[in-house]
Amino acid sequence: MTNKILTFLLVILSTQIASAQENPLEGRWDLEMDFEGKTQPSWLEIRHSGHETFVGRFVFAFGSARPISEVKLDGTSFEFSIPRQWEPKGQDMHFKGNLKNGALVGVMTYTNGDKVNFTGIPAPTLPYNTTPRMGKTIKLFNGKNLDGWHADRDQNQWIVENGILKSPKSGANLISDQKFDDFKAVIEFKYPVESNSGIYLRGRYEVQIADNFGLKPSDIYFGGIYGFLEPNENAAKKANEWQRYEITLIGNRVTIIANGKQIITDQTIPGITGGALDSKEGEPGAFMIQGDHGPVEFRKFEVTPIQ
């Protein structure tokens, strides 16, 4: 191959790569949707695949991150469709929007045909502290009562008995009054057979709690960041045994030690998970314990802020 031909091919390749990377719609977006009378957090990722195709991922107000096989771009406008996940039966969900003044504005057509307006801003790049200093440990659960916590609805099934925080049945989620940036959390919990719960870091990233003993690891099973990060092994004990998470979150990079085994190591969480309190990733956030699935108990919930 002559130098001229090689140079020509390199110019074409570099032009194609630059062209694919220059589209302002590429990236991760924190969305808000006017859904069923509430502002619901959602998340969108758009990225190129090969020379001309764009693909992505989408997180709705519930469920896990789901793939988008193709995002059709036309200048600063975009359009895509995805099949339902946990939504009611009906048509595929269709999205159409455009970029205005650096923000996304668009409409989602829901499975029942309803039109849902949404807006989006670029997900922030969260700084990573390479020299973290540990602050003073906070006992977020005091072993006596629900001080420091509040339920997300009027009917609150959470109780404290003999020093144990309990959700004996499906009902409200429990949210800490205090909000955090970076932290290390030590949490001890147990659940009955076939139960399901989760802990939302900053109220946005769910670490799954579920009776998955003996199953292959999965991002929707015990210890996974729901729908995004799969543990390198399933460290779950059997149901009705006390279990322990040690979770360190710096920026959007997480490390999880489950029952003494490091199952996720300094991995980036791409975006919010379904059921998040909000999509304001650049702000401090509360802890949320999922109580709207199955019974769960906690005997320790300690948080050490990282400075």
Side-chain angles (χ1 to χ4, degrees):
M1 183 180 295
T2 67
N3 288 338
K4 289 184 177 180
I5 295 175
L6 180 59
T7 301
F8 176 72
L9 292 175
L10 288 174
V11 168
I12 291 177
L13 180 60
S14 62
T15 300
Q16 290 172 333
I17 293 175
S19 175
Q21 293 176 336
E22 286 172 0
N23 194 296
L25 288 167
E26 272 198 88
R28 294 169 177 169
W29 300 86
D30 287 337
L31 306 183
E32 290 186 337
M33 294 195 165
D34 299 326
F35 182 68
E36 295 184 343
K38 298 180 181 180
T39 298
Q40 296 283 9
S42 295
W43 178 87
L44 173 66
E45 179 183 47
I46 299 175
R47 56 187 175 87
H48 67 272
S49 175
H51 299 310
E52 299 176 352
T53 303
F54 288 83
V55 297
R57 288 183 289 183
F58 173 73
V59 174
F60 194 31
F62 46 82
S64 61
R66 60 191 85 178
I68 306 169
S69 60
E70 183 177 8
V71 182
K72 298 177 182 178
L73 302 186
D74 183 7
T76 57
S77 297
F78 67 94
E79 188 173 356
F80 65 89
S81 294
I82 53 175
R84 70 188 184 97
Q85 188 182 63
W86 299 105
E87 294 79 18
K89 288 184 178 180
Q91 63 190 28
D92 287 354
M93 298 162 67
H94 186 77
F95 296 75
K96 193 170 185 178
N98 55 75
L99 186 65
K100 290 184 178 181
N101 300 320
L104 298 185
V105 179
V107 176
M108 173 185 76
T109 304
Y110 197 50
T111 56
N112 63 1
D114 286 351
K115 304 294 184 181
V116 179
N117 294 322
F118 67 85
T119 58
I121 61 173
T125 300
L126 301 181
Y128 182 76
N129 186 352
T130 58
T131 56
R133 292 185 297 111
M134 309 303 287
K136 184 178 180 180
T137 297
I138 301 166
K139 290 186 177 181
L140 216 55
F141 168 53
N142 63 17
K144 301 175 182 179
N145 51 45
L146 295 175
D147 287 357
W149 296 84
H150 61 275
D152 67 352
R153 62 200 72 174
D154 292 336
Q155 299 299 320
N156 181 10
Q157 82 286 356
W158 290 89
I159 57 174
V160 177
E161 289 184 345
N162 300 318
I164 305 299
L165 175 64
K166 299 180 178 181
S167 174
K169 60 181 180 180
S170 177
N173 300 314
L174 199 62
I175 303 168
S176 68
D177 295 340
Q178 190 167 350
K179 296 183 178 182
F180 297 89
D181 282 310
D182 299 339
F183 59 82
K184 178 179 179 179
V186 177
I187 304 163
E188 295 181 356
F189 56 92
K190 71 176 179 179
Y191 44 78
V193 174
E194 296 185 354
S195 195
N196 184 313
S197 181
I199 301 164
Y200 283 77
L201 315 179
R202 299 196 196 111
R204 302 180 188 113
Y205 315 116
E206 183 188 4
V207 183
Q208 176 76 323
I209 290 176
D211 180 19
N212 303 131
F213 174 77
L215 301 179
K216 292 182 179 180
S218 167
D219 56 25
I220 63 172
Y221 287 169
F222 182 95
I225 300 295
Y226 196 82
F228 278 128
L229 301 182
E230 179 179 293
N232 55 32
E233 65 176 294
N234 183 353
K237 297 180 181 180
K238 293 181 179 179
N240 296 307
E241 294 186 31
W242 285 108
Q243 322 233 15
R244 179 184 174 98
Y245 281 159
E246 298 172 50
I247 304 169
T248 301
L249 182 64
I250 301 177
N252 60 348
R253 290 161 63 170
V254 67
T255 295
I256 300 177
I257 299 172
N259 297 324
K261 298 180 179 180
Q262 190 156 303
I263 58 172
I264 293 178
T265 304
D266 198 25
Q267 293 296 297
T268 297
I269 306 174
I272 68 167
T273 56
L277 289 173
D278 61 49
S279 55
K280 303 179 188 301
E281 291 191 83
E283 299 181 6
F287 283 91
M288 181 172 70
I289 305 174
Q290 191 176 61
D292 60 0
H293 280 40
V296 66
E297 300 181 6
F298 293 83
R299 67 180 182 184
K300 177 182 284 190
F301 207 119
E302 296 182 352
V303 182
T304 304
I306 293 176
Q307 302 168 351

